[in-house]
Amino acid sequence: WMGPGPGGGAKPVIVFEAEIGDAVTQACFGQHLLREEYVLLAVCTRKGEVVVFRCYRSQQEMSALTADERDLMLNWNSSRRRATTSGVSIGSDDAEGGPGTFEEHCRYKGHRKGIACIAFNAMEDMMVTGSIDKTVRIWSVDTGATWKIIEVAYPVFGAAFLPLNPQVVVSANGNCVLHLVDVRAQQVSKRKVDLGIRSLQFDDTGCFMFVG
């Protein structure tokens, strides 16, 4: 959506219909990386599934790029397509989308109930989800594989990667405990807090976390 416009209200920039399969509970965009032809959009459902789409740049966005920026994008995506033909899987459908189009990247199944929170890491090769099924799952964005499952005592309402240490995930639920998960070391530690946390967000510096 973009707004407010001349008519005084927000209006959709692009509308697309996709077969999600159930009610949407959360949605999250990836970063707008200059080298990429698209932005990732993750959509979560009430049944516990995640669908990630590739949202390709519009024709207007493409025309606004400089020659150097276009060369960077073309070289990066050509290298990735060569890696794909060499046997490295990238998403579920490697066909190029046209400007302003959407296509499915990958589906992620594992949660047994609705997903309450989702976030990408800085490199966008990992994704974390928290669910009311009392689990936190860390996924490979490109393959859909689950890297880590953390079972907790209460539904999970907040989860994010630490900005200054993207190998660590912090998650929160209603029982006044923060879970810190080191993805590489496969270690989980806990921090007691005063109140139950239902949402969390880091500031732009990555040094401070706001909770509610």
Side-chain angles (χ1 to χ4, degrees):
W1 291 77
M2 179 178 66
K11 55 185 178 180
V13 178
I14 298 175
V15 178
F16 77 103
E17 295 183 2
E19 187 60 41
I20 303 296
D22 199 11
V24 174
T25 58
Q26 288 287 328
C28 173
F29 276 106
Q31 300 180 71
H32 196 237
L33 302 174
L34 186 59
R35 67 172 186 260
E36 293 286 8
E37 298 172 303
Y38 53 78
V39 176
L40 294 178
L41 170 63
V43 179
C44 307
T45 73
R46 186 174 53 187
K47 291 182 178 178
E49 185 177 15
V50 183
V51 185
V52 173
F53 296 94
R54 301 172 187 171
C55 307
Y56 285 88
R57 294 173 186 262
S58 67
Q59 191 62 55
Q60 183 178 5
E61 290 177 297
M62 295 294 291
S63 61
L65 297 175
T66 66
D68 289 341
E69 290 170 341
R70 282 194 294 270
D71 288 343
L72 173 65
M73 181 187 302
L74 291 173
N75 291 336
W76 168 261
N77 287 278
S78 295
S79 299
R80 179 161 53 186
R81 282 190 284 273
R82 286 196 296 271
T84 303
T85 58
S86 300
V88 180
S89 176
I90 300 178
S92 61
D93 182 0
D94 293 308
E96 290 186 68
T101 63
F102 295 77
E103 67 181 12
E104 187 175 312
H105 180 75
C106 196
R107 287 185 179 246
Y108 311 79
K109 297 182 179 181
H111 285 296
R112 301 181 303 277
K113 295 182 179 180
I115 296 171
C117 54
I118 184 170
F120 291 102
N121 71 342
M123 295 298 293
E124 295 189 354
D125 59 343
M126 290 190 294
M127 181 174 65
V128 61
T129 54
S131 170
I132 60 174
D133 67 5
K134 304 177 185 179
T135 65
V136 176
R137 287 178 178 259
I138 301 170
W139 312 81
S140 166
V141 171
D142 284 335
T143 67
T146 302
W147 282 20
K148 181 73 175 176
I149 303 173
I150 303 100
E151 296 184 355
V152 296
Y154 290 82
V156 180
F157 297 106
F161 290 89
L162 291 182
L164 302 182
N165 187 353
Q167 301 305 321
V168 176
V169 169
V170 57
S171 68
N173 51 34
N175 69 338
C176 308
V177 175
L178 287 174
H179 291 81
L180 299 173
V181 183
D182 189 318
V183 180
R184 297 296 184 186
Q186 298 287 299
Q187 295 178 344
V188 180
S189 60
K190 299 179 181 181
R191 298 288 187 274
K192 188 71 175 177
V193 294
D194 294 334
L195 298 172
I197 296 173
R198 290 182 173 266
S199 62
L200 58 87
Q201 181 70 47
F202 286 94
D203 73 339
D204 291 339
T205 69
C207 297
F208 299 95
M209 182 175 71
F210 299 88
V211 300

